[in-house]
Amino acid sequence: KIDKIVIIECGTDFNAGLVGKYAIEKWGNIPVDVELASEYRYREPSLDEKTLVIPISQSGETMDTLMALRYAKSKGAKILSVCNTNGSTIARESDSVLYTHAGPEIAVASTKAFATQLVAMYLIGIEIGRKLHTLTKKEIEVICEEVSQLPARVEQILETVEPLRETTRKFKSAESILFLGRHVGYPTALEGALKLKELAYMHAEGFAGGELKHGPIALIDENVPVIVIAPHDNLFEKTVSNMQEVMARKGKVILISDRRGIEQAGNKAWARIEVPAVDPFITPLLYSVPIQLLAYHTAVVKGTD
Ligand code: BG6
């Protein structure tokens, strides 16, 4: 009976929600909006009882998200929240909850909660695809297999952190760091920039590769590291051409890609970070690991709290 989904949230959760939108629209063929709760709650958006609202919150207590949820409820929408904290207010006020079970987040920056929010988004997307028959049994098996391989692949990345540490030493003097990605690489880029702000107190921006020419290019010179998220997928060539535009302005490219991507475009980059090859929709979860580590090591090098 649902004809529209609205995902509402703040901060990191927004980036997980954006990945959710891409996955749910592709796998479930249903329109999905992603909204910042702090905007949504004040603008009287249009929704009704045929809308499914998905609030995402690690703590389950963020006031803007809670107020947006209450607004949606008052309009008759069904609420399925994605929360990490058992029994939190957002969880209690929802029709149903998908708990992410990441354990408590100790620091301000959401890290493992983000990873589990992505898995929650994949599960919702798969379930909708299964119910609406927009995904075949085989497709569901393939995605589930990719998701179940994630712990081993994350371990693989964690074993190769040394080059990352080296890269971040070079960041110390940068005044600004940019992140660029396409498709679900775009929310991954937003997340990378947010982590640098939260942990290393640095100016950082993430943007969609296609937007490079519409403004951000003006910021690039030899002092600006640009982290390019470029899995070897059907948009790889386009992202590589963005990378070339950055390099033409002497920007320092740190390429994050899989083996094929690194082999094809890595020699031109200032630094390279290799991650295992996965289904394009799963890349945000894997690519966010080196991105979180970049922020962490930059914070250590800079001596921020
Ligand atoms: C911010 C945190 O203050 O709150 C972010 O710095 C977090 O990391 C955001 O994503 C939202 O919090 P929550 O608990 O609703 O997920």
Side-chain angles (χ1 to χ4, degrees):
K1 291 178 192 148
I2 299 295
D3 64 8
K4 175 170 105 165
I5 296 176
V6 182
I7 308 179
I8 45 172
E9 65 283 284
C10 304
T12 288
D13 314 328
F14 179 84
N15 302 331
L18 203 46
V19 175
K21 170 187 165 74
Y22 286 24
I24 296 168
E25 285 195 341
K26 169 83 172 135
W27 297 340
N29 191 26
I30 184 165
V32 183
D33 289 339
V34 185
E35 299 266 358
L36 291 169
S38 55
E39 287 294 313
Y40 195 77
R41 63 176 284 200
Y42 293 117
R43 70 174 179 79
E44 297 184 26
S46 152
L47 77 170
D48 57 29
E49 58 285 346
K50 287 169 100 183
T51 310
L52 173 69
V53 170
I54 307 180
I56 308 178
S57 177
Q58 188 284 123
S59 63
E61 302 295 344
T62 299
M63 192 49 70
D64 284 326
T65 310
L66 178 61
M67 296 314 282
L69 176 162
R70 286 181 181 162
Y71 171 82
K73 240 179 137 174
S74 74
K75 298 285 173 189
K78 293 278 171 298
I79 317 288
L80 163 64
S81 62
V82 172
C83 285
N84 194 44
T85 310
N86 282 14
S88 56
T89 311
I90 289 174
R92 280 189 279 110
E93 295 199 15
S94 302
D95 294 302
S96 49
V97 195
L98 188 50
Y99 281 118
T100 46
H101 301 292
E105 280 286 12
I106 308 299
V108 162
S110 174
T111 48
K112 59 189 176 181
F114 176 69
T116 55
Q117 286 167 355
L118 291 174
V119 175
M121 291 294 111
Y122 300 147
L123 294 181
I124 292 170
I126 291 167
E127 189 56 15
I128 291 172
R130 195 179 65 80
K131 284 245 159 71
L132 300 183
H133 306 291
T134 44
L135 279 177
T136 63
K137 206 164 166 253
K138 180 78 201 143
E139 285 170 322
I140 293 173
E141 273 170 23
V142 170
I143 303 162
C144 289
E145 177 60 19
E146 288 272 10
V147 172
S148 65
Q149 295 281 327
L150 281 168
R153 286 174 170 156
V154 170
E155 285 292 340
Q156 227 176 306
I157 298 173
L158 292 175
E159 279 161 18
T160 58
V161 294
E162 198 42 50
L164 264 175
R165 218 171 274 158
E166 208 31 62
T167 304
T168 50
R169 271 185 214 119
K170 303 178 190 169
F171 279 4
K172 204 177 169 183
S173 50
E175 279 183 11
S176 182
I177 297 188
L178 303 180
F179 289 77
L180 177 159
R182 284 173 183 264
H183 192 254
V184 288
Y186 166 48
T188 313
L190 295 177
E191 180 60 8
L194 183 58
K195 288 299 91 118
L196 264 175
K197 286 173 194 157
E198 287 180 304
L199 297 183
Y201 300 75
M202 285 183 79
H203 175 250
E205 295 299 332
F207 52 89
E211 288 297 293
L212 179 66
K213 58 182 172 295
H214 301 299
I217 192 98
L219 299 173
I220 293 166
D221 63 22
E222 67 277 15
N223 300 314
V224 180
V226 182
I227 295 161
V228 178
I229 295 151
H232 197 277
D233 57 16
N234 60 346
L235 292 171
F236 180 73
E237 293 303 334
K238 287 198 170 295
T239 313
V240 169
S241 76
N242 288 144
M243 191 176 124
Q244 284 157 352
E245 285 158 10
V246 168
M247 290 190 304
R249 283 161 181 80
K250 300 193 168 54
K252 295 190 166 75
V253 168
I254 297 105
L255 174 67
I256 311 185
S257 187
D258 46 43
R259 179 155 303 160
R260 280 180 76 191
I262 300 274
E263 277 171 9
Q264 237 168 285
N267 63 340
K268 299 166 194 150
W270 187 54
R272 288 151 288 274
I273 299 169
E274 188 180 319
V275 292
V278 283
D279 178 275
F281 280 99
I282 311 295
T283 54
L285 204 151
L286 277 194
Y287 284 58
S288 64
V289 175
I291 274 170
Q292 290 171 359
L293 288 168
L294 274 177
Y296 168 76
H297 289 299
T298 308
V300 171
V301 168
K302 291 188 71 146
T304 51
D305 182 351

